[in-house]
Amino acid sequence: MEIFNTIRSHQPPPSAQKGDETHRSVSSAHKSSQQIMKEEMQESTQKADTEKLKKQLQEITDRLNQEMNPLKTSIRFGFDDKIEELYISVIDTSNNEEIRKIPSEEAMHLAAKMRELIGMIFDKKG
């Protein structure tokens, strides 16, 4: 009996254990909501930065094309939103027909599909 009473005296009362668990769950829920808000703010900042960068790249391609016009070259620059990359088109100036695109249309389509698949595999929300 002495051993049993000694063990009981070293254990915290049941009400203290439940209160601690409740406090822990509330504080962990609070931390997770703060963390979620922080992550959402970071994502929105990244999206704004990405949009700003896309706009800058589009402006750069427009300026490059304007600079190439007086030279009467057959090279045009562009920006693809799907793959978020620059591309170059070689144009036949006599009939305005595209001779070659670097990277090719197929490569750009493949890159867009791969980005989509990677997004599905590593979806943070799912």
Side-chain angles (χ1 to χ4, degrees), residues 26-44:
V26 169
S27 64
S28 65
H30 182 65
K31 287 179 185 177
S32 64
S33 66
Q34 284 180 341
Q35 187 176 11
I36 289 170
M37 289 177 64
K38 185 178 179 181
E39 289 173 0
E40 287 176 355
M41 288 177 63
Q42 287 175 345
E43 285 178 17
S44 65

Side-chain angles (χ1 to χ4, degrees), residues 47-64:
K47 285 180 183 178
D49 290 345
T50 301
E51 291 300 319
K52 185 178 178 182
L53 181 62
K54 283 182 185 180
K55 187 176 180 179
Q56 288 175 342
L57 286 171
Q58 189 63 46
E59 290 171 2
I60 289 169
T61 56
D62 291 342
R63 276 192 276 150
L64 283 170

